Amino acid sequence: MSQSGGDRRETVSAATLEFARTFDIWDGKHGDDPHQPLRRLRSECPIAHSDELGGYWMLTEYDTCRQVLRDPQTFSSRIQMLPSKIHVKDAHKSVPLLIPISLDPPVHAPYRQAIADLFSPHAISEREEPTRQAARELLGAFFAKEIGRASCRE
């Protein structure tokens, strides 16, 4: 990780390390501005580990994520760790195999090829307006029933 956050570890303050260590991605206090804590991590500790929810890593920079995703020998997709409020010993063993995302190359290639046309720019553009319409209808129903608290941001 030579060109991303890995080089900055020595300069991370104790307060930022503590912030990262106790960061709970599902904590409701982030609801008003969920981007603020991630901006802080990206600028101060772009590769961070939290001990919450059984422990998990957070990569907050595009280049770092890209590097990790392109190195399946070091960072396998086979073991999925999803931070959860329900702590289960060996939680990674209870996450189902999600094909093709849970498979590493070259095993995932035939699965990706089988669905590639569904995610082409043309196929996505054909589904854009119906998807937006469905979202409008669902959100309209949500707000009409006044279920929960929600805010919309541009």
Side-chain angles (χ1 to χ4, degrees):
M1 309 277 168
S2 60
Q3 295 194 346
S4 68
D7 293 336
R8 291 184 254 175
R9 269 197 310 212
E10 303 86 40
T11 64
V12 177
S13 72
T16 298
L17 288 174
E18 181 65 9
F19 174 76
R21 189 186 68 72
T22 60
F23 185 76
D24 176 350
I25 196 165
W26 303 118
D27 191 324
K29 70 183 176 190
H30 306 305
D32 289 335
D33 185 4
H35 304 286
Q36 185 281 328
L38 296 175
R39 277 192 298 270
R40 177 179 179 184
L41 290 172
R42 186 171 26 261
S43 68
E44 299 176 32
C45 186
I47 301 172
H49 185 270
S50 174
D51 293 340
E52 298 297 312
L53 309 172
Y56 60 97
W57 287 94
M58 298 170 281
L59 308 177
T60 61
E61 292 180 322
Y62 173 81
D63 289 338
T64 305
C65 292
R66 185 176 170 98
Q67 188 173 352
V68 164
L69 291 170
R70 292 181 179 268
D71 184 1
Q73 283 71 38
T74 305
F75 305 99
S76 176
S77 295
R78 180 59 192 100
I79 297 175
Q80 299 287 313
M81 297 293 292
L82 305 174
S84 173
K85 287 282 188 192
I86 303 169
H87 181 68
V88 178
K89 185 178 182 194
D90 297 325
H92 66 280
K93 294 178 182 175
S94 66
V95 176
L97 180 64
L98 304 172
I99 296 174
I101 200 167
S102 296
L103 301 175
D104 292 326
V107 176
H108 78 298
Y111 296 98
R112 288 186 62 184
Q113 288 169 352
I115 63 172
D117 289 345
L118 299 171
F119 296 97
S120 71
H122 176 73
I124 295 297
S125 69
E126 285 185 339
R127 287 192 289 278
E128 182 177 3
E129 189 49 41
T131 302
R132 288 183 182 277
Q133 183 59 37
R136 283 187 210 100
E137 291 171 11
L138 290 169
L139 286 170
F142 176 83
F143 288 116
K145 292 181 180 179
E146 297 180 324
I147 300 172
R149 177 178 159 256
S151 63
C152 296
R153 300 177 196 264
E154 287 295 319

